Coordinates of all heavy atoms in Angstrom, one line a residue:
S29 N -17.3 -1.3 -15.3 CA -16.8 -1.1 -13.9 C -15.3 -0.9 -14.0 O -14.6 -1.2 -14.9 CB -17.1 -2.3 -13.0 OG -16.4 -3.4 -13.4
I30 N -14.8 -0.3 -12.9 CA -13.4 0.0 -12.8 C -12.6 -1.2 -12.4 O -13.0 -1.9 -11.5 CB -13.2 1.2 -11.8 CG1 -13.8 2.4 -12.3 CG2 -11.7 1.4 -11.4 CD1 -13.9 3.5 -11.3
S31 N -11.5 -1.4 -13.1 CA -10.6 -2.6 -12.8 C -9.4 -2.2 -11.9 O -9.0 -3.0 -11.1 CB -10.1 -3.2 -14.1 OG -9.4 -2.3 -14.9
Q32 N -9.0 -0.9 -12.0 CA -7.9 -0.5 -11.1 C -7.8 1.1 -11.1 O -8.1 1.7 -12.1 CB -6.5 -1.0 -11.6 CG -5.4 -0.8 -10.7 CD -4.3 -1.8 -10.9 OE1 -3.9 -2.0 -12.0 NE2 -3.8 -2.4 -9.8
V33 N -7.3 1.6 -10.0 CA -7.1 3.0 -9.8 C -5.7 3.2 -9.2 O -5.3 2.5 -8.3 CB -8.1 3.6 -8.8 CG1 -7.8 5.0 -8.4 CG2 -9.5 3.4 -9.3
R34 N -4.9 4.1 -9.8 CA -3.5 4.3 -9.4 C -3.2 5.8 -9.3 O -3.5 6.5 -10.3 CB -2.5 3.7 -10.4 CG -2.6 2.2 -10.5 CD -1.8 1.6 -9.4 NE -1.7 0.1 -9.6 CZ -0.9 -0.6 -8.9 NH1 -0.1 -0.1 -8.0 NH2 -0.9 -1.9 -9.1
F35 N -2.6 6.2 -8.2 CA -2.1 7.6 -8.1 C -0.7 7.5 -8.5 O 0.1 6.6 -8.2 CB -2.3 8.1 -6.7 CG -3.6 8.6 -6.4 CD1 -4.6 7.8 -5.8 CD2 -4.0 9.9 -6.7 CE1 -5.8 8.2 -5.5 CE2 -5.3 10.3 -6.5 CZ -6.2 9.5 -5.8
S36 N -0.2 8.6 -9.1 CA 1.2 8.7 -9.5 C 2.1 8.8 -8.3 O 1.8 9.6 -7.4 CB 1.4 10.0 -10.4 OG 2.8 10.2 -10.6
P37 N 3.2 8.1 -8.3 CA 4.1 8.2 -7.1 C 4.9 9.5 -7.1 O 5.4 9.9 -6.1 CB 5.1 7.0 -7.3 CG 5.0 6.7 -8.8 CD 3.6 7.1 -9.3
T38 N 5.0 10.2 -8.2 CA 5.8 11.4 -8.3 C 4.9 12.7 -8.3 O 5.3 13.8 -8.0 CB 6.7 11.4 -9.5 OG1 5.9 11.2 -10.7 CG2 7.8 10.4 -9.4
H39 N 3.6 12.5 -8.8 CA 2.7 13.6 -8.8 C 1.4 13.2 -8.2 O 0.5 12.6 -8.9 CB 2.4 14.1 -10.3 CG 3.7 14.6 -11.0 ND1 4.2 15.8 -10.7 CD2 4.4 14.0 -11.9 CE1 5.3 15.9 -11.5 NE2 5.4 14.9 -12.2
P40 N 1.2 13.4 -6.9 CA 0.1 12.8 -6.2 C -1.3 13.3 -6.7 O -2.3 12.7 -6.3 CB 0.3 13.2 -4.7 CG 1.4 14.1 -4.7 CD 2.1 14.1 -6.0
D41 N -1.3 14.3 -7.5 CA -2.6 14.8 -8.0 C -3.0 14.1 -9.4 O -4.1 14.3 -9.9 CB -2.6 16.3 -8.3 CG -2.5 17.1 -7.0 OD1 -3.0 16.5 -6.0 OD2 -2.0 18.2 -7.0
H42 N -2.1 13.2 -9.9 CA -2.4 12.5 -11.1 C -2.9 11.1 -10.8 O -2.4 10.4 -10.0 CB -1.1 12.4 -12.0 CG -0.7 13.7 -12.5 ND1 0.5 13.9 -13.2 CD2 -1.3 15.0 -12.5 CE1 0.7 15.1 -13.5 NE2 -0.4 15.8 -13.1
L43 N -4.0 10.8 -11.5 CA -4.7 9.5 -11.3 C -5.0 8.8 -12.6 O -5.4 9.4 -13.6 CB -6.0 9.9 -10.6 CG -7.0 8.7 -10.3 CD1 -6.5 7.8 -9.2 CD2 -8.4 9.3 -9.9
L44 N -4.7 7.5 -12.6 CA -5.0 6.6 -13.7 C -6.1 5.7 -13.3 O -6.1 5.2 -12.2 CB -3.8 5.7 -14.1 CG -2.8 6.2 -15.1 CD1 -1.8 5.1 -15.3 CD2 -3.4 6.6 -16.4
V45 N -7.1 5.5 -14.2 CA -8.2 4.6 -14.0 C -8.4 3.7 -15.2 O -8.6 4.2 -16.3 CB -9.5 5.4 -13.7 CG1 -10.7 4.4 -13.4 CG2 -9.4 6.4 -12.5
S46 N -8.3 2.4 -15.0 CA -8.6 1.4 -16.0 C -9.9 0.8 -15.8 O -10.4 0.7 -14.7 CB -7.5 0.4 -16.1 OG -7.4 -0.4 -14.9
S47 N -10.5 0.4 -16.9 CA -11.9 0.0 -16.8 C -12.2 -1.2 -17.8 O -11.6 -1.4 -18.8 CB -12.8 1.1 -17.1 OG -14.2 0.8 -17.1
W48 N -13.3 -1.9 -17.4 CA -13.8 -3.0 -18.3 C -14.5 -2.4 -19.5 O -14.8 -3.2 -20.4 CB -14.7 -3.9 -17.5 CG -14.0 -4.8 -16.6 CD1 -13.6 -4.6 -15.3 CD2 -13.5 -6.1 -16.9 NE1 -12.9 -5.7 -14.8 CE2 -12.9 -6.7 -15.8 CE3 -13.7 -6.9 -18.1 CZ2 -12.3 -7.9 -15.8 CZ3 -13.1 -8.2 -18.0 CH2 -12.4 -8.7 -16.9
D49 N -14.8 -1.1 -19.5 CA -15.4 -0.5 -20.7 C -14.4 -0.2 -21.8 O -14.7 0.6 -22.7 CB -16.2 0.7 -20.3 CG -15.3 1.9 -20.0 OD1 -14.1 1.8 -19.9 OD2 -15.9 3.0 -19.7
T50 N -13.2 -0.7 -21.7 CA -12.1 -0.6 -22.7 C -11.4 0.7 -22.7 O -10.8 1.1 -23.7 CB -12.6 -1.0 -24.2 OG1 -13.4 0.1 -24.6 CG2 -13.3 -2.3 -24.2
T51 N -11.5 1.4 -21.6 CA -10.8 2.7 -21.6 C -9.8 2.8 -20.4 O -10.0 2.1 -19.4 CB -11.8 3.9 -21.4 OG1 -12.5 3.8 -20.2 CG2 -12.8 3.9 -22.6
V52 N -8.8 3.7 -20.6 CA -7.9 4.1 -19.5 C -8.1 5.6 -19.5 O -8.0 6.3 -20.6 CB -6.5 3.7 -19.8 CG1 -5.6 4.3 -18.7 CG2 -6.3 2.2 -19.8
R53 N -8.3 6.2 -18.3 CA -8.5 7.6 -18.2 C -7.4 8.2 -17.3 O -7.1 7.6 -16.3 CB -9.9 8.0 -17.7 CG -11.0 7.5 -18.7 CD -12.4 7.6 -18.1 NE -13.3 6.9 -18.9 CZ -14.2 7.5 -19.6 NH1 -14.3 8.8 -19.7 NH2 -15.1 6.8 -20.3
F54 N -7.0 9.4 -17.6 CA -6.0 10.1 -16.9 C -6.6 11.4 -16.3 O -7.1 12.1 -17.1 CB -4.7 10.4 -17.7 CG -3.7 11.2 -17.1 CD1 -3.0 10.8 -16.0 CD2 -3.4 12.5 -17.6 CE1 -2.1 11.6 -15.4 CE2 -2.5 13.3 -17.0 CZ -1.8 12.8 -15.9
Y55 N -6.5 11.5 -15.0 CA -7.1 12.7 -14.3 C -6.1 13.5 -13.6 O -5.2 13.0 -13.0 CB -8.2 12.2 -13.3 CG -9.4 11.5 -13.9 CD1 -9.4 10.1 -14.0 CD2 -10.5 12.2 -14.4 CE1 -10.5 9.5 -14.5 CE2 -11.6 11.6 -15.0 CZ -11.6 10.2 -15.0 OH -12.7 9.5 -15.5
D56 N -6.4 14.8 -13.5 CA -5.7 15.7 -12.6 C -6.7 16.0 -11.5 O -7.7 16.8 -11.8 CB -5.2 17.0 -13.3 CG -4.5 17.9 -12.4 OD1 -4.7 17.9 -11.2 OD2 -3.7 18.7 -12.9
V57 N -6.6 15.4 -10.4 CA -7.6 15.6 -9.3 C -7.6 17.0 -8.7 O -8.6 17.4 -8.2 CB -7.5 14.5 -8.3 CG1 -7.8 13.1 -8.8 CG2 -6.1 14.4 -7.6
A58 N -6.4 17.6 -8.7 CA -6.4 19.0 -8.1 C -7.2 19.9 -9.0 O -7.9 20.8 -8.4 CB -4.9 19.4 -8.0
A59 N -7.1 19.8 -10.3 CA -7.9 20.6 -11.2 C -9.3 20.1 -11.4 O -10.1 20.8 -12.1 CB -7.1 20.7 -12.5
N60 N -9.6 18.9 -10.9 CA -10.9 18.2 -11.1 C -11.2 18.1 -12.6 O -12.3 18.5 -13.0 CB -12.0 19.0 -10.3 CG -13.2 18.2 -10.2 OD1 -13.2 17.0 -10.2 ND2 -14.3 18.9 -10.1
E61 N -10.3 17.6 -13.4 CA -10.6 17.4 -14.8 C -9.9 16.2 -15.4 O -8.8 15.7 -14.9 CB -10.2 18.6 -15.6 CG -8.7 18.9 -15.7 CD -8.3 20.1 -16.5 OE1 -9.1 20.5 -17.4 OE2 -7.3 20.8 -16.2
Q62 N -10.5 15.6 -16.4 CA -10.0 14.5 -17.1 C -9.0 15.1 -18.2 O -9.4 15.9 -19.0 CB -11.1 13.7 -17.8 CG -10.6 12.5 -18.6 CD -11.7 11.8 -19.3 OE1 -12.6 11.3 -18.6 NE2 -11.7 11.7 -20.6
K63 N -7.7 14.6 -18.1 CA -6.7 15.1 -19.1 C -6.6 14.3 -20.3 O -6.3 14.8 -21.4 CB -5.4 15.1 -18.4 CG -5.2 16.1 -17.2 CD -5.2 17.5 -17.8 CE -4.8 18.5 -16.7 NZ -4.7 19.8 -17.2
A64 N -6.9 13.0 -20.3 CA -6.8 12.1 -21.4 C -7.7 10.9 -21.3 O -8.0 10.5 -20.2 CB -5.3 11.7 -21.7
K65 N -8.1 10.4 -22.4 CA -8.8 9.1 -22.4 C -8.3 8.3 -23.6 O -8.1 8.7 -24.7 CB -10.3 9.4 -22.7 CG -11.2 8.1 -22.8 CD -12.6 8.5 -23.2 CE -13.4 7.3 -23.6 NZ -14.6 7.6 -24.2
F66 N -8.0 7.0 -23.3 CA -7.4 6.1 -24.3 C -8.4 4.9 -24.5 O -8.8 4.3 -23.5 CB -6.0 5.6 -23.8 CG -5.1 6.7 -23.5 CD1 -4.9 7.1 -22.2 CD2 -4.3 7.3 -24.5 CE1 -4.1 8.2 -21.9 CE2 -3.5 8.3 -24.2 CZ -3.3 8.8 -22.9
D67 N -8.7 4.7 -25.7 CA -9.7 3.6 -26.0 C -9.0 2.4 -26.6 O -8.0 2.6 -27.4 CB -10.7 4.1 -27.1 CG -11.6 5.2 -26.5 OD1 -12.2 4.9 -25.5 OD2 -11.7 6.3 -27.1
Y68 N -9.4 1.2 -26.2 CA -8.8 0.0 -26.6 C -9.9 -1.0 -27.2 O -11.0 -0.7 -27.1 CB -8.0 -0.7 -25.5 CG -6.9 0.1 -25.0 CD1 -7.0 0.9 -23.9 CD2 -5.7 0.2 -25.7 CE1 -6.0 1.7 -23.4 CE2 -4.6 0.9 -25.2 CZ -4.8 1.7 -24.1 OH -3.7 2.5 -23.7
C69 N -9.4 -2.1 -27.7 CA -10.4 -3.1 -28.3 C -11.0 -4.0 -27.3 O -11.9 -4.7 -27.6 CB -9.7 -3.8 -29.4 SG -9.2 -2.8 -30.8
A70 N -10.3 -4.1 -26.1 CA -10.8 -5.1 -25.1 C -10.7 -4.5 -23.7 O -10.1 -3.4 -23.6 CB -9.9 -6.4 -25.2
A71 N -11.2 -5.1 -22.7 CA -11.2 -4.6 -21.4 C -9.8 -4.4 -20.9 O -8.9 -5.2 -21.2 CB -12.0 -5.6 -20.5
I72 N -9.6 -3.4 -20.1 CA -8.3 -3.1 -19.5 C -8.3 -3.7 -18.0 O -9.2 -3.4 -17.2 CB -8.1 -1.6 -19.4 CG1 -8.3 -0.9 -20.7 CG2 -6.7 -1.3 -18.9 CD1 -7.5 -1.4 -21.9
L73 N -7.3 -4.5 -17.8 CA -7.3 -5.2 -16.5 C -6.4 -4.5 -15.4 O -6.7 -4.6 -14.3 CB -6.7 -6.6 -16.7 CG -7.5 -7.5 -17.6 CD1 -6.8 -8.9 -17.8 CD2 -8.9 -7.7 -17.2
S74 N -5.4 -3.7 -15.9 CA -4.5 -3.1 -15.0 C -3.9 -1.9 -15.6 O -3.8 -1.8 -16.8 CB -3.4 -4.1 -14.6 OG -2.6 -3.6 -13.6
C75 N -3.5 -1.0 -14.7 CA -2.7 0.2 -15.2 C -1.7 0.6 -14.1 O -1.9 0.3 -12.9 CB -3.7 1.4 -15.5 SG -4.6 2.0 -14.0
L76 N -0.7 1.3 -14.5 CA 0.3 1.8 -13.6 C 1.1 2.9 -14.2 O 1.2 3.1 -15.4 CB 1.3 0.7 -13.1 CG 2.1 0.0 -14.2 CD1 3.5 0.6 -14.2 CD2 2.3 -1.5 -13.8
F77 N 1.8 3.7 -13.3 CA 2.7 4.8 -13.8 C 4.1 4.2 -13.8 O 4.5 3.6 -12.9 CB 2.6 6.0 -12.8 CG 1.4 6.8 -12.9 CD1 0.3 6.6 -12.1 CD2 1.4 7.8 -13.9 CE1 -0.8 7.4 -12.3 CE2 0.3 8.7 -14.0 CZ -0.8 8.5 -13.2
G78 N 4.8 4.4 -14.9 CA 6.2 3.9 -15.1 C 7.1 4.9 -14.5 O 8.0 4.6 -13.8
D79 N 6.9 6.2 -14.8 CA 7.7 7.3 -14.3 C 6.8 8.5 -14.4 O 5.6 8.5 -14.6 CB 9.0 7.4 -15.0 CG 8.9 7.6 -16.5 OD1 7.9 8.1 -16.9 OD2 9.9 7.2 -17.2
S80 N 7.4 9.7 -14.4 CA 6.6 10.9 -14.4 C 6.0 11.2 -15.8 O 5.1 12.1 -15.9 CB 7.5 12.1 -14.0 OG 8.6 12.3 -14.9
T81 N 6.5 10.6 -16.8 CA 5.9 10.8 -18.2 C 5.3 9.6 -18.9 O 4.8 9.8 -20.0 CB 7.0 11.4 -19.1 OG1 8.1 10.4 -19.2 CG2 7.6 12.7 -18.6
H82 N 5.4 8.4 -18.3 CA 4.8 7.2 -18.9 C 3.8 6.5 -18.0 O 4.0 6.5 -16.8 CB 6.0 6.3 -19.2 CG 6.9 6.8 -20.3 ND1 8.0 7.5 -20.0 CD2 6.9 6.7 -21.6 CE1 8.6 7.8 -21.1 NE2 8.0 7.3 -22.1
A83 N 2.9 5.9 -18.7 CA 1.9 5.1 -18.0 C 1.7 3.8 -18.8 O 1.9 3.8 -20.1 CB 0.6 5.8 -17.8
Y84 N 1.3 2.7 -18.2 CA 1.2 1.4 -18.9 C -0.2 0.8 -18.5 O -0.7 1.0 -17.4 CB 2.3 0.5 -18.6 CG 3.7 1.0 -18.9 CD1 4.4 1.7 -18.0 CD2 4.2 0.9 -20.2 CE1 5.7 2.2 -18.3 CE2 5.4 1.4 -20.5 CZ 6.2 2.1 -19.6 OH 7.4 2.6 -19.9
S85 N -0.7 0.0 -19.5 CA -1.9 -0.7 -19.2 C -1.9 -2.1 -19.7 O -1.2 -2.3 -20.8 CB -3.1 0.1 -19.7 OG -3.0 0.2 -21.1
G86 N -2.5 -3.0 -19.1 CA -2.6 -4.4 -19.5 C -4.0 -4.7 -20.0 O -5.0 -4.4 -19.2
C87 N -4.2 -5.2 -21.2 CA -5.5 -5.4 -21.8 C -5.8 -6.8 -21.9 O -4.9 -7.7 -22.0 CB -5.4 -4.7 -23.2 SG -6.9 -4.6 -24.1
L88 N -7.1 -7.1 -22.0 CA -7.6 -8.5 -22.1 C -7.2 -9.2 -23.4 O -7.2 -10.4 -23.5 CB -9.1 -8.5 -21.9 CG -9.7 -9.9 -21.5 CD1 -9.1 -10.5 -20.2 CD2 -11.2 -9.7 -21.4
D89 N -6.8 -8.4 -24.4 CA -6.3 -8.9 -25.6 C -4.8 -9.4 -25.6 O -4.2 -9.6 -26.6 CB -6.5 -8.0 -26.8 CG -5.6 -6.7 -26.7 OD1 -4.8 -6.6 -25.8 OD2 -5.7 -5.9 -27.7
T90 N -4.3 -9.4 -24.4 CA -2.9 -9.8 -24.0 C -1.9 -8.8 -24.3 O -0.7 -9.0 -24.2 CB -2.5 -11.2 -24.6 OG1 -2.3 -11.0 -26.0 CG2 -3.5 -12.3 -24.3
G91 N -2.3 -7.6 -24.7 CA -1.3 -6.5 -25.0 C -1.0 -5.7 -23.8 O -1.8 -5.5 -22.8
V92 N 0.2 -5.1 -23.8 CA 0.6 -4.1 -22.8 C 1.0 -2.9 -23.5 O 1.7 -2.9 -24.5 CB 1.8 -4.6 -22.0 CG1 2.3 -3.5 -21.0 CG2 1.5 -5.9 -21.2
R93 N 0.3 -1.8 -23.2 CA 0.5 -0.5 -23.9 C 1.0 0.6 -22.9 O 0.6 0.6 -21.8 CB -0.7 -0.1 -24.6 CG -1.1 -1.1 -25.7 CD -2.5 -0.9 -26.2 NE -2.9 -1.8 -27.2 CZ -3.4 -3.0 -27.0 NH1 -3.6 -3.5 -25.7 NH2 -3.7 -3.8 -28.0

């Protein structure tokens, strides 16, 4: 299941989705496509955009990436 959904504050068409399935996915909603998928070892609890080029996620293994 999805743990968090965040739209970019600088690019409203960019979307981050973190999930309990150990992935963070980055979407371009205007183009209707997934741009990137990041796999981790544990469930992802949270995600956020830092600025226009960085995103961060908090993992159940206590890591922030």
Side-chain angles (χ1 to χ4, degrees):
S29 69
I30 293 172
S31 57
Q32 191 158 45
V33 174
R34 294 278 186 166
F35 281 95
S36 169
T38 56
H39 300 285
D41 293 333
H42 291 172
L43 176 69
L44 271 180
V45 179
S46 61
S47 177
W48 283 87
D49 74 354
T50 71
T51 64
V52 174
R53 297 169 193 254
F54 173 65
Y55 295 96
D56 182 334
V57 294
N60 195 29
E61 67 181 330
Q62 179 178 299
K63 294 290 194 176
K65 177 184 169 193
F66 305 95
D67 294 304
Y68 297 98
C69 297
I72 311 300
L73 302 177
S74 183
C75 62
L76 62 94
F77 284 95
D79 58 29
S80 62
T81 59
H82 293 90
Y84 301 94
S85 60
C87 189
L88 198 58
D89 70 358
T90 70
V92 175
R93 295 168 180 87

